[in-house]
Amino acid sequence: MDTTEGQIARVTCFQESLADGIEHLAQNHRLTESAFICFCRDRGLPVFGIGTGDPGKFYSLGLLKCDSRDESGNLLFHPFRSYTAFRILKACRLPIAPSASLSLQSTHELVESSIKIMPDQQKLRAATKEWDLIADLAIMLEPVYWLSVVGQTSYYGYLDEERADQERIEYHQKLTELIRTLDSDYWKKAHELLRIEAAKLDDNHALYLLLRLAKWDQRNRLKGDISMALWIRHIAEVIRRAFHDVKCEEWDEEDQAFGFWQPGARKIAYGSDRPLDNVLESIPKLVHYFGLFSGSTVRWYVEGETEYYAILETIPDPAISGIELLNLRGNIVSGKGNIAMKLSDALDQDLALQRFSMVTIDRDVSANVKAIRRYILERKIVGLVAAHDPDFEFANFTLKELVEIASKLDENNSHPSLKTDIDAWLDISNGKLFEERYVRLTKSGNRSLKGEAWGRALARYAQEKPNISIDRVRPFIDQVGAALRARHSHYDYTREHWTFDPETFQTVEIKGYTSETYS
């Protein structure tokens, strides 16, 4: 690995030839000493001074470079020089705890011993060569690679957009020559140093990713240590992108500093093994990771009014929980009925949006069962398939319970009680037959037992008595729980590791599963 002096020589060799581009194409304004002091303070650095102060002092001592001067000869600093200022101030910090002042004698002794181990100006000046070299290279790379960090390009000075773009292309070509001359091992180590320094300052790596993928205006307004850590990581990213662009080298991304990620773990957590290089894939996952999401995380398809209103009784405002409820009104089979969007198309939308799909069907409708089986084999459903056997009513309630609920419904509507003698109902085995018997026995005049009132009545009973037997929860209650848990479930992991048995519709782990198995 080359030395710092060797890298300085290579960078310096190109600086003069790149000077005009650095000045005209720069994406960050050069700051006066006063503005630079404010910039550093806003990022938590204990910089002394108002109009002038530490930056000018550091410059006069040969510890900090300036990037240009204004018409009056005043020093101007690139914001990236804040990294050098940060390292200088860190090196000058006395390693004494604030609570040491509680004992004055001990404080005097600590100050004396600490001063003895503080670096002298000569040693500090040698150390700042490496820090300034990092800033130098990042400043040279910034006109080309800052766009990847902030998502926008700025045009300063006399250049119009077209002319600036042309000059940036020419400047990029010169930068490519520079990067080819640099020692990759040296700069990979420097990049690692930047990541570690940022993590020591603020080690909220997942939060950094969230901020990094946010709009630049919001990042730029941040203050304190988290802002300084963000700027250090941005400097690191500019350098990483240049070496990837020119030498096709793949270094760890800037949120990584300590610890180790198992293969594939970042993809599970963030939607991609390299979230900063795959922003569009990562944003939905990071939003989900922090519990911040817009739109639905699951779309729940039901077959009719009864189940639709049972769900609304249990979850009055499903949208708040990220649930989109869609009533297919019995029209699961494509081409049947006149609904706005057939289930097949809706499932394709769910896949495209990485939204969970929950489909509930009645097994006594063979065409629907066949259609869902086909969608499973086509891997169109990621989420849950709930097959009610034979239908919603009889899969969730006993015959005696259904009679009790129907009778209570009549009573609540000021009608005579329904005949509840179970002998009058014993031959009933599905919801359709139950409805026919109800219409024949009720004195309410109702010609149907489907719809909102019946669905809500069933849901209220299920909420009061969630178990259908001592050791069995009603499937409907489980399904509601699954829908509510969807916002905390990982879509990619579910899609890659789980599917459904096309015969039983039970969720099964994918182990050598192929569609030919059941075709």
Side-chain angles (χ1 to χ4, degrees):
M1 186 169 70
D2 203 351
T3 64
T4 297
E5 294 295 339
Q7 296 304 293
I8 289 175
R10 287 169 173 77
V11 170
T12 303
C13 178
F14 277 83
Q15 273 183 321
E16 185 174 346
S17 65
L18 295 171
D20 288 341
I22 296 173
E23 188 71 27
H24 297 144
L25 300 172
Q27 297 299 292
N28 288 277
H29 282 295
R30 302 301 190 266
L31 305 174
T32 64
E33 184 172 1
S34 176
F36 186 65
I37 289 171
C38 290
F39 179 88
C40 290
R41 279 184 178 166
D42 283 346
R43 279 141 195 89
L45 302 187
V47 179
F48 175 80
I50 300 177
T52 59
D54 279 346
K57 181 179 180 180
F58 295 158
Y59 173 79
S60 66
L61 294 173
L63 302 176
L64 178 68
K65 285 186 177 181
C66 79
D67 294 286
S68 58
R69 293 178 180 268
D70 64 15
E71 295 177 353
S72 301
N74 297 313
L75 302 175
L76 296 175
F77 299 93
H78 190 286
F80 286 180
R81 296 293 173 194
S82 59
Y83 173 68
T84 307
F86 161 72
R87 295 300 303 271
I88 293 170
L89 291 167
K90 183 178 178 181
C92 293
R93 187 182 303 143
L94 289 173
I96 300 174
S99 59
S101 62
L102 296 174
S103 175
L104 293 179
Q105 181 62 35
S106 297
T107 302
H108 288 308
E109 294 173 358
L110 283 170
V111 170
E112 289 178 1
S113 61
S114 297
I115 289 175
K116 292 178 182 178
I117 63 173
M118 295 295 291
D120 58 29
Q121 288 188 24
Q122 185 175 355
K123 290 182 179 179
L124 191 56
R125 196 173 295 116
T128 58
K129 285 185 178 181
E130 180 180 353
W131 307 333
D132 257 334
L133 173 62
I134 289 172
D136 281 341
L137 181 61
I139 291 167
M140 295 168 73
L141 299 173
E142 176 246 59
V144 172
Y145 296 102
W146 190 242
L147 169 64
S148 299
V149 176
V150 303
Q152 61 189 38
T153 301
S154 300
Y155 298 93
Y156 299 128
Y158 68 88
L159 296 177
D160 59 32
E161 183 174 339
E162 183 177 351
R163 177 60 179 162
D165 288 341
Q166 181 58 39
E167 288 202 10
R168 187 173 287 105
I169 292 171
E170 296 170 1
Y171 182 82
H172 190 182
Q173 292 171 345
K174 294 179 181 179
L175 272 184
T176 299
E177 296 175 26
L178 166 62
I179 298 300
R180 285 183 179 140
T181 70
L182 297 179
D183 185 331
S184 295
D185 290 338
Y186 179 92
W187 286 101
K188 185 177 181 180
K189 190 69 177 177
H191 180 261
E192 181 183 16
L193 173 68
L194 288 167
R195 299 191 333 260
I196 290 173
E197 287 295 336
K200 286 180 178 178
L201 198 57
D202 185 277
D203 195 22
N204 295 296
H205 50 89
L207 178 60
Y208 169 71
L209 286 177
L210 186 67
L211 292 171
R212 166 61 181 79
L213 300 182
K215 291 182 178 179
W216 170 243
D217 288 345
Q218 300 303 319
R219 278 182 275 161
N220 201 26
R221 292 192 186 102
L222 292 172
K223 296 188 177 182
D225 287 349
I226 194 170
S227 179
M228 189 64 228
L230 182 139
W231 274 84
I232 293 173
R233 287 179 169 116
H234 286 358
I235 292 169
E237 184 174 349
V238 164
I239 295 172
R240 173 177 64 82
R241 289 192 177 280
F243 278 83
H244 180 268
D245 179 29
V246 177
K247 296 190 174 185
C248 299
E249 296 188 3
E250 198 167 89
W251 301 346
D252 286 346
E253 293 190 325
E254 288 64 45
D255 63 296
Q256 300 176 259
F258 308 117
F260 172 75
W261 284 89
Q262 292 290 338
R266 285 170 69 78
K267 185 175 182 180
I268 293 173
Y270 305 136
S272 170
D273 288 323
R274 302 190 64 80
L276 297 184
D277 290 342
N278 298 284
V279 172
L280 295 180
E281 293 179 13
S282 303
I283 288 177
K285 293 298 182 295
L286 270 167
V287 168
H288 187 274
Y289 184 88
F290 280 90
L292 307 169
F293 63 91
S294 58
S296 56
T297 54
V298 58
R299 184 185 269 170
W300 192 347
Y301 303 92
V302 298
E303 281 198 271
E305 303 292 308
T306 298
E307 189 178 356
Y308 180 82
Y309 284 106
I311 295 169
L312 287 181
E313 178 68 24
T314 310
I315 312 174
D317 194 347
I320 291 178
S321 300
I323 301 169
E324 182 181 349
L325 192 57
L326 188 60
N327 183 7
L328 297 176
R329 296 180 175 84
N331 297 308
I332 284 181
V333 182
S334 180
K336 179 183 177 183
N338 184 26
I339 57 175
M341 181 169 54
K342 300 298 185 289
L343 179 59
S344 178
D345 297 332
L347 292 174
D348 287 338
Q349 278 193 0
D350 293 344
L351 290 172
L353 296 173
Q354 295 191 324
R355 173 173 54 203
F356 286 107
S357 306
M358 283 184 58
V359 184
T360 56
I361 61 171
D362 292 342
R363 274 189 170 273
D364 61 1
V365 183
S366 59
N368 289 349
V369 171
K370 184 177 179 180
I372 297 303
R373 185 169 291 137
R374 183 174 69 253
Y375 298 147
I376 289 173
L377 294 174
E378 293 172 355
R379 297 300 308 279
K380 280 194 172 189
I381 304 176
V382 180
L384 179 69
V385 175
H388 298 133
D389 190 11
D391 50 36
F392 177 70
E393 282 89 345
F394 276 76
N396 286 281
F397 305 91
T398 65
L399 177 60
K400 183 177 179 181
E401 287 175 330
L402 290 170
V403 174
E404 179 184 340
I405 297 167
S407 179
K408 189 173 182 180
L409 183 63
D410 280 1
E411 291 176 10
N412 290 341
N413 289 306
S414 302
H415 300 302
S417 297
L418 187 67
K419 183 178 181 180
T420 57
D421 183 357
I422 199 65
D423 291 338
W425 303 83
L426 283 178
D427 57 333
I428 303 301
S429 59
N430 60 53
K432 183 178 181 181
L433 293 175
F434 185 86
E435 181 185 31
E436 291 174 356
R437 184 64 51 84
Y438 166 81
V439 170
R440 197 174 77 192
L441 296 178
T442 184
K443 295 182 172 31
S444 66
N446 291 335
R447 309 317 301 167
S448 172
L449 195 59
K450 298 292 184 182
E452 180 172 359
W454 179 234
R456 291 186 182 276
L458 293 172
R460 286 193 293 269
Y461 189 92
Q463 290 176 70
E464 292 171 5
K465 300 178 181 180
N467 282 34
I468 196 170
S469 62
I470 295 176
D471 58 351
R472 183 182 168 218
V473 176
R474 299 183 197 277
F476 174 69
I477 298 298
D478 275 339
Q479 292 156 24
V480 168
L484 293 173
R485 289 192 299 272
R487 64 188 298 179
H488 303 296
S489 301
H490 198 284
Y491 184 90
D492 286 340
Y493 184 85
T494 304
R495 180 184 59 193
E496 293 174 9
H497 294 276
W498 300 95
T499 185
F500 307 95
D501 184 314
E503 295 299 326
T504 66
F505 298 119
Q506 295 296 311
T507 303
V508 293
E509 191 172 0
I510 297 174
K511 289 182 179 178
Y513 169 88
T514 63
S515 61
E516 288 76 16
T517 305
Y518 294 98
S519 59

